[in-house]
Amino acid sequence: MKSTDLNLIPIFVAIFEEQNLSKAAARLDISQPAVSKALARLRDIYDEPLFHRSSSGVDPTSFAIDIYPAMLTALKNFTSTLSASSSFDPKISNRIFSIACLSVASYELMPQLLCQIRNQAPNIALEVHPLFTKDYESDLRLQRYDLIIDLPPRGRTVLKMEAVFSERLMVVCSAEHPRIKESCSVEQFLAEKHVVVARWQARDSLLTGEDIEDLARRSIVYRAAGAMEMLPVINDSDLIGTLPQSTIEHFSNTYSLKALPLPFSDSVHDLYAIWHSSRTNESAHQWLRQQIKQAGKAIRK
């Protein structure tokens, strides 16, 4: 392989991920004939077919699937060194940062972050997504998101993370709940029917018995996309839920609710900024993480 053939690596990655030559060309801002020529050169180098034509574009061969991880790693390692060494000036940058965010963190943290950014970097924009993803490592490695705001991942991970702020969990119910008055015991908590925030990608609730052991014993009758969808249900029924204190306070003027201490000792949980290690030294990414950290401190003053 000649040194000039290293230019073929991003073209291969684009074709593999887009599975369409036209889309790969648009993504790389080059012509489709240039993409086709590069693909022909790759076939010559490897002496193997890499893609088969399909009704929607191209499908990778088993050989292409085998070499994709190595090609992607090479590309990411190279681009990360470029971005890390390049200067980043937030005052003139027009970058768009993409963040996947837990819904309960979006009511205070994201508005505070946007306010900070608009004061310091008026041309930078935020793209905030709901957390409908399951494969954090893949999404962050492929830079579908710059960063994720969530509870810390369970188990071993190659991802980097840093606590942004803490949330105190509370029991929330209708102000006129027929059984729960000024406090809620463990027995009362487990005797009631529950509304929860769902993790749709896992068909599970946001908080489980892995977070607080007794939560595994709840009787869940309604799973909602987020707090905004939970609270009307709780307001108009005798169902109860578990939400951060700040979220309940945020909607206190909208619904007739009451918040009571969660009857478990481990009721305070940290939310984390989570990112791929390849972005750690990137100057723009460092700036974003610093802004998020400052926003977390600001909303807890």
Side-chain angles (χ1 to χ4, degrees):
M1 181 179 281
K2 300 176 182 178
S3 60
T4 53
D5 290 332
L6 294 175
N7 295 328
L8 302 176
I9 293 177
I11 297 177
F12 171 84
V13 170
I15 297 172
F16 188 96
E17 293 177 358
E18 299 294 342
Q19 296 192 13
N20 184 286
L21 299 189
S22 297
K23 291 181 179 179
R27 170 171 160 176
L28 297 168
D29 196 23
I30 61 178
S31 68
Q32 183 173 335
V35 171
S36 299
K37 184 177 179 181
L39 181 55
R41 174 62 182 150
L42 281 165
R43 281 197 300 265
D44 292 340
I45 290 171
Y46 286 108
D47 194 23
E48 288 276 357
L50 297 172
F51 298 92
H52 297 304
R53 293 198 177 276
S54 68
S55 58
S56 59
V58 293
D59 292 326
T61 64
S62 58
F63 180 76
I65 293 171
D66 287 342
I67 67 172
Y68 169 72
M71 298 283 261
L72 181 65
T73 299
L75 177 61
K76 293 294 183 183
N77 287 341
F78 178 63
T79 55
S80 66
T81 60
L82 289 180
S83 58
S85 62
S86 62
S87 60
F88 171 73
D89 186 347
K91 294 179 181 179
I92 61 173
S93 174
N94 59 359
R95 183 158 178 171
I96 300 173
F97 287 109
S98 178
I99 301 172
C101 183
L102 191 68
S103 63
V104 295
S106 63
Y107 306 120
E108 287 190 303
L109 183 66
M110 290 297 107
Q112 175 63 33
L113 177 62
L114 178 63
C115 181
Q116 286 178 195
I117 287 177
R118 288 193 54 83
N119 286 335
Q120 300 180 35
N123 298 320
I124 286 179
L126 294 179
E127 190 178 78
V128 180
H129 301 266
L131 261 181
F132 286 156
T133 180
K134 183 178 181 180
D135 190 350
Y136 287 5
E137 290 188 10
S138 177
D139 287 338
L140 290 168
R141 174 170 48 80
L142 295 175
Q143 299 188 17
R144 295 191 179 104
Y145 310 117
D146 292 298
L147 187 140
I148 289 173
I149 305 292
D150 193 9
L151 295 166
R154 301 185 182 108
R156 297 181 63 182
T157 179
V158 300
L159 299 176
K160 300 292 185 181
M161 63 190 79
E162 182 178 19
V164 177
F165 65 99
S166 298
E167 285 278 20
R168 179 171 296 280
L169 298 176
M170 306 288 285
V171 178
V172 58
C173 63
S174 167
E176 306 301 325
H177 197 282
R179 292 174 296 280
I180 297 178
K181 302 305 180 183
E182 302 304 318
S183 64
C184 181
S185 67
V186 173
E187 292 74 20
Q188 284 178 305
F189 182 86
L190 296 175
E192 297 295 333
K193 304 295 184 182
H194 289 254
V195 182
V196 300
V197 175
R199 281 194 186 274
W200 297 109
Q201 74 278 13
R203 299 191 67 82
D204 205 346
S205 57
L206 177 61
L207 291 169
T208 69
E210 293 185 55
D211 302 292
I212 301 175
E213 184 176 354
D214 286 300
L215 294 186
R217 298 158 57 196
R218 287 177 299 181
S219 176
I220 298 171
V221 299
Y222 192 97
R223 285 183 167 86
M228 190 176 294
E229 292 76 18
M230 277 181 65
L231 292 176
V233 178
I234 293 173
N235 184 78
D236 297 333
S237 71
D238 62 352
L239 303 178
I240 70 172
T242 303
L243 283 173
Q245 184 175 4
S246 65
T247 301
I248 301 169
E249 292 173 353
H250 186 84
F251 290 99
S252 61
N253 294 327
T254 306
Y255 300 106
S256 179
L257 303 167
K258 59 184 173 184
L260 306 167
L262 192 67
F264 309 111
S265 58
D266 44 355
S267 61
V268 176
H269 289 261
D270 290 332
L271 291 181
Y272 283 73
I274 306 166
W275 69 93
H276 195 269
S277 57
S278 63
R279 313 293 299 280
T280 298
N281 295 323
E282 182 183 329
S283 56
H285 204 275
Q286 289 176 334
W287 180 84
L288 174 64
R289 298 198 307 269
Q290 183 61 32
Q291 293 302 312
I292 291 174
K293 191 173 181 179
Q294 289 178 6
K297 290 180 179 179
I299 64 176
R300 288 295 168 261
K301 285 184 178 179

